[in-house]
Amino acid sequence: MVSDDKIIERLHRRDESALEAIRNQYGAICWQMAYRILENREDADECVNDMLMAVWESIPPQLPVSLQAYLITLVRRAALDKYRLTHRLKRGGGQMAEALDELAEILPSDSSVERDVEQRELTRAIQGFLDTLKPNVRNIFMQRYFLAVSVQDIAANHHMSESAVKMTLHRTRKKLQDYLRKEGLL
Amino acid sequence: MRPIDLMDALGDLPEDYIARELTYQPPKKNSIPFRAVIAAAACLLLTAGLVRGVWMKRQPIDTVPPQETLPTTETLPTEPVTTDTTAVQTSESGSEAETTASESASETAFSATAAWTETIETVTLPVQSIPALTQPASSTEATHPAATAVTTVQTDPTESPTESSITMLTTVKTGDAAENETPAEDETESPAEGIAETTAYIPTDPTEPIDITDPPEPTEPSYSLPGNLTPDSSGRDPLDGFTATECFGRTVLTVTPESDDPTDFSLGYTCTDRRYFQESMATDVAGGIWNTAYTYLDRQNGTSITVRLYCRSRFRLEYRTETAQYWRLDRPDGCIYLHCDAGGYVLYDDGNYVMQIEYNDPQADYQGFLEHFVPKN
């Protein structure tokens, strides 16, 4: 077990053993993250490789506060990019499609918001919104819409019934909708 | 904005936000053994409380029957009574004897449990309760045709009350003495009762004993029962068609009709009405129980009705769309009650498509549900 600090230090020294350590320690969780989005083993493998490549290229100069969060973010981004490519036209199937459908209900199709709204503005708003949530609710929301975890698994993690999780997600989506409206983003 | 944009925005959150969620540990439920121990302890306490309550209620009757405490209240013969001079005492010693007698009686009566013995030992009898014992020796020597002898049992606290060391203290109470005793008239008329009562009371104040022979029944906490709902402005009873049932330990209302009465589930509207209700919800806490009230605003005439949370209503899933489910209840009058759940999710599905609505979040602000009746065909 190599500590995160040592892995980052090796990356800064351009020591390739750091990538092996990342694969050993975080490869599984990153692969699962990608697989939940893509539901394809080969694509998930590819995303993990893309993530390792991105780590190698970004550190240095990056100095992650949390290596695990950094890796998850990278692999998620890679998986979403692949998802866009493979699901550009077809819909349906998978947790990601389900999660997107759920989010679609709060977004009007004829949104007055410019489609090219600054992504960081939206991120800032979501960040503010998450700060208003109770930790338990926030974690349920993030598990669903950041990690794309299934409702069933969230219910198991939180010792709740699936219907309770669905209700919590529904309420949180409504709150997010209200929040984004207040922020002028919807 | 597309949903994927929201996903991207989530991906751009600061690392510490992500790390916080990755390391978050949901509150764990108590383990089954732990809960079993807690439940057992609660049951034990409850049982002990019940036993104690029953015992307290029965104790005065079982342990202090007046007949047993004072078995002999005999009328003296008409001839002059010769009192036992050994029993004649001064006022001061009489008081001591009285106290001793009462303590002994108390100990005898409550020797069944140590707890009650402790309680009784703190009792100090009012001197006036048995005035005859406080009278000078001369007054007890008087004779009267109607005089009665009251025999009390004095026991030595250090010895068993059944042993022969019990000494009999006979006090002769004369009619004159009774007349002269103005305070506590009832007690002087029946000193035997007065003595018996001292064993049935737990006096906190020597001058004002408290009767515990009939302790008040424990009152159950009052819950916000559906009957407290306020009728709407039109005077209709908002509870029409809603019956109170127990649901997961809560008293809730269900919309399932219990009878064949067509009006049972009418909410005051007829089958041909097509009404739309804007639903809002308010939740409060009463007695540790979440109570949820729905307010249905009839947007056509502006009236509103309020009903309590209904739980596990026996609705069947009629059909679903991408964004809504329609739950159907066949009314006894042949109409269909349709609940449109526009939330885009299945509330509860146990195989029979039983709809369950159960909210515990006081901050919940559900709005926008539509409720309407539609006529059959």
Side-chain angles (χ1 to χ4, degrees), chain A residues 82-92:
Chain A
K82 191 167 286 293
Y83 180 88
R84 283 192 191 88
L85 287 174
T86 55
H87 293 77
R88 181 165 292 166
L89 296 177
K90 62 178 180 179
R91 296 289 304 274

Side-chain angles (χ1 to χ4, degrees), chain A residues 65 84 115 131 138 170, chain B residues 2 8 15 17 21 366:
Chain A
V65 177
R84 283 192 191 88
R115 290 182 69 89
D131 288 338
R138 186 183 62 218
H170 178 78
Chain B
R2 298 163 299 164
D8 284 337
E15 278 171 34
Y17 273 68
E21 303 308 328
Y366 261 123

Side-chain angles (χ1 to χ4, degrees), chain B residues 213-245:
Chain B
T213 55
D214 191 14
E217 293 289 334
T219 55
E220 294 184 359
S222 60
Y223 300 107
S224 296
L225 292 177
N228 296 333
L229 295 176
T230 308
D232 67 84
S233 58
S234 65
R236 279 193 304 271
D237 182 0
L239 298 176
D240 272 357
F242 289 80
T243 53
T245 57

Side-chain angles (χ1 to χ4, degrees), chain B residues 301-353:
Chain B
N301 58 21
T303 60
S304 65
I305 55 175
T306 301
V307 296
R308 286 287 173 187
L309 170 68
Y310 48 85
C311 186
R312 279 183 177 258
S313 309
R314 282 180 237 157
F315 287 174
R316 287 187 297 109
L317 183 64
E318 181 73 352
Y319 59 93
R320 299 176 65 177
T321 67
E322 283 186 3
T323 58
Q325 291 86 42
Y326 291 85
W327 300 86
R328 167 179 169 163
L329 177 71
D330 290 310
R331 292 170 49 181
D333 59 1
C335 297
I336 301 169
Y337 178 79
L338 209 57
H339 173 95
C340 172
D341 164 19
Y345 59 96
V346 178
L347 288 168
Y348 187 79
D349 182 355
D350 65 355
N352 294 318
Y353 296 107

Side-chain angles (χ1 to χ4, degrees), chain A residues 32-115:
Chain A
Q32 286 168 4
M33 171 82 246
Y35 183 78
R36 279 197 298 269
I37 293 175
L38 300 168
E39 302 219 328
N40 183 291
R41 291 178 179 277
E42 289 76 22
D43 288 347
D45 288 338
E46 208 170 307
C47 282
V48 173
N49 289 331
D50 291 346
M51 177 269 292
L52 291 172
M53 182 69 74
V55 168
W56 186 253
E57 289 173 354
S58 60
I59 303 176
Q62 293 283 344
L63 194 61
V65 177
S66 163
L67 182 61
Q68 186 185 12
Y70 186 73
L71 299 175
I72 288 284
T73 305
L74 288 178
V75 78
R76 182 179 182 275
R77 197 171 294 161
L80 281 178
D81 289 342
K82 191 167 286 293
Y83 180 88
R84 283 192 191 88
L85 287 174
T86 55
H87 293 77
R88 181 165 292 166
L89 296 177
K90 62 178 180 179
R91 296 289 304 274
Q95 291 300 323
M96 195 60 191
E98 226 175 275
L100 287 173
D101 283 343
E102 289 167 9
L103 286 175
E105 76 187 41
I106 65 167
L107 302 173
S109 57
D110 55 347
S111 171
S112 61
V113 180
E114 299 289 340
R115 290 182 69 89

Side-chain angles (χ1 to χ4, degrees), chain B residues 37 53 84 99 109 150 158 187 208-209 226 271 336 360 375:
Chain B
V37 168
D84 184 356
T99 306
V150 179
T158 62
E187 291 177 10
E208 192 173 353
C271 178
I336 301 169
N360 289 327

Side-chain angles (χ1 to χ4, degrees), chain B residues 134-145:
Chain B
T134 65
Q135 296 300 316
S138 59
S139 67
T140 61
E141 291 175 350
T143 59
H144 193 277

